[in-house]
Amino acid sequence: MTLLPALAFGFALGVRHATDADHIAAIGTFLSSKRSTGGAAAVGAMWGLGHSLSVLLVGGALVLLRLPMPPTVGLVLEFLVALMLIALGVRSLRAGRRHEAPSRVRPLLVGVVHGLAGSAVLALMVLGTTTGPWAAAVYLICFGLGTIGGMMLVTVLLTLPVRLSSARAMTMERLVRVTAGVASVVVGVLLAHRVGVQDGLFAVSVFGP
């Protein structure tokens, strides 16, 4: 793939990647107290930045070295994402009326973990669609920019119900928090089942060499 198509394809794929169910479920648990467009966009940007950093470091290393990530390591990382989603969901459900100071570190760290889990698949895709290290680097950078932009848009859209209903802000905030918490737990449990049972992580860990 030449430079210009790598730019367009990487950015578009990054935007689409931001809308994956596990990403939306995770970021939704941070948004109950973010009613401004800027606050919501900042949370999305931090998540996207963390995701992009881990993709660039791990995925970039795999691409440059032309090495695949060991399957068991990839499954373990995905299972960690599932556990993180469940923990985020429980935290959101238990938040209640307690007000917490906005933190941009947590979305950054969550994005890093998500990026680690997806680095292996992305690296394989880059290896199959690029012709050299420069094209691969451009692809990864544009993918990261697309992910950041896509997640900023997603977080702003998720907070629209709260901001458009100022008279019922408390009710809407509680609804967003509970919905995000339940969604995060459900997605986390489904992902853990897929990775652990269907993809064979537990079988590999218990019965493998």
Side-chain angles (χ1 to χ4, degrees):
M1 183 180 290
T2 57
L3 186 59
L4 190 56
L7 282 166
F9 184 65
F11 186 84
L13 188 62
V15 172
R16 194 219 63 80
H17 186 65
T19 63
D20 284 353
D22 56 332
H23 298 162
I24 295 177
I27 202 67
T29 62
F30 294 104
L31 297 179
S32 60
S33 62
K34 305 294 187 298
R35 297 192 184 123
S36 70
T37 300
V43 171
M46 292 305 292
W47 184 97
L49 179 61
H51 186 282
S52 301
L53 287 175
S54 56
V55 165
L56 284 172
L57 291 176
V58 179
L62 293 175
V63 169
L64 291 177
L65 297 175
R66 300 280 168 171
L67 294 175
M69 181 178 286
T72 302
V73 175
L75 290 175
V76 168
L77 290 174
E78 286 194 73
F79 192 75
L80 289 177
V81 169
L83 295 180
M84 180 184 67
L85 286 171
I86 295 172
L88 288 173
V90 171
R91 172 182 170 274
S92 181
L93 292 172
R94 295 182 60 184
R97 297 176 179 270
R98 182 182 58 195
H99 175 73
E100 296 183 359
S103 172
R104 296 181 182 178
V105 176
R106 286 193 295 267
L108 178 71
L109 296 177
V110 170
V112 167
V113 176
H114 268 116
L116 288 174
S119 295
V121 175
L122 180 61
L124 290 174
M125 184 178 296
V126 174
L127 284 171
T129 56
T130 57
T131 57
W134 284 111
V138 169
Y139 181 98
L140 290 173
I141 291 172
C142 290
F143 180 88
L145 293 175
T147 302
I148 293 172
M151 187 52 73
M152 290 175 69
L153 177 61
V154 166
T155 51
V156 169
L157 292 176
L158 286 175
T159 56
L160 280 179
V162 176
R163 291 187 290 107
L164 293 178
S165 305
S166 57
R168 301 179 179 178
M170 288 296 296
T171 301
M172 292 301 299
E173 182 175 358
R174 191 175 300 112
L175 178 61
V176 169
R177 175 177 53 79
V178 172
T179 301
V182 171
S184 187
V185 171
V186 170
V187 172
V189 170
L190 292 176
L191 180 59
H193 179 269
R194 177 182 66 79
V195 174
V197 178
Q198 296 180 3
D199 293 347
L201 173 61
F202 295 152
V204 171
S205 300
V206 176
F207 302 107

